[in-house]
Amino acid sequence: MFIFLFLFSCDKDDVENIKIENSLELQIENDQFKIVNAPLDGIENCDRISVGVMCQKSEKESFTIVFNLLKNGGLEKIRLVDYHTNNDFYETADFNSTGLMKITNFEYDEAKKYVHFEFNGELIRV
């Protein structure tokens, strides 16, 4: 079973009069989610950054996703727990993870505590 994920910069046509601090667009199988200004958790540790978001908008929109990246934009691991389907657990593949998941348009400013990236690819159900 695969998951397809996408992150795009904010689209002002979709959300008017809201200052967008963070935006996440996600497709899990055939279900699409758009999360705007959800609380994000971020941790810096040496050369690594972890960014996570928990979505609990409804029974169908209930998941947690965590991105573990290197400060240079390299992919370490992505993990997702989908609560509305019996807590299904997905993550980047141990084999060919960079072939199945791409991190692009990566920007990181340590002084401003700012990170931006786009991702596209597949997670494997474990």
Side-chain angles (χ1 to χ4, degrees):
M1 187 171 258
F2 294 103
I3 285 186
F4 298 96
L5 304 170
F6 305 95
L7 179 69
F8 302 100
S9 57
C10 47
D11 184 354
K12 292 183 182 177
D13 293 334
D14 292 342
V15 181
E16 294 181 23
N17 301 323
I18 296 175
K19 181 179 179 187
I20 296 178
E21 298 289 329
N22 57 63
S23 172
L24 174 72
E25 291 189 25
L26 181 66
Q27 180 176 333
I28 302 174
E29 303 216 341
N30 294 323
D31 297 324
Q32 293 188 0
F33 307 97
K34 183 169 185 173
I35 303 164
V36 176
N37 294 341
L40 290 175
D41 291 321
I43 298 172
E44 292 179 75
N45 185 4
C46 300
D47 291 332
R48 292 174 169 73
I49 305 168
S50 291
V51 178
V53 64
M54 181 178 222
C55 176
Q56 292 184 322
K57 288 185 174 181
S58 68
E59 187 176 312
K60 189 174 182 180
E61 293 180 294
S62 182
F63 59 86
T64 298
I65 188 165
V66 177
F67 301 89
N68 295 307
L69 306 171
L70 301 175
K71 286 184 178 180
N72 66 6
L75 172 64
E76 197 166 72
K77 187 165 282 281
I78 300 173
R79 292 189 176 114
L80 179 131
V81 179
D82 186 359
Y83 300 115
H84 87 280
T85 57
N86 298 321
N87 297 332
D88 284 343
F89 184 74
Y90 301 86
E91 64 182 30
T92 45
D94 291 334
F95 60 93
N96 191 24
S97 62
T98 57
L100 295 174
M101 180 65 66
K102 300 282 186 212
I103 302 294
T104 57
N105 297 324
F106 182 83
E107 296 176 46
Y108 175 63
D109 186 326
E110 190 167 358
K112 294 180 181 177
K113 303 296 182 200
Y114 172 82
V115 65
H116 168 86
F117 58 92
E118 298 174 4
F119 63 98
N120 184 354
E122 301 174 8
L123 297 178
I124 308 287
R125 187 166 142 196
V126 258

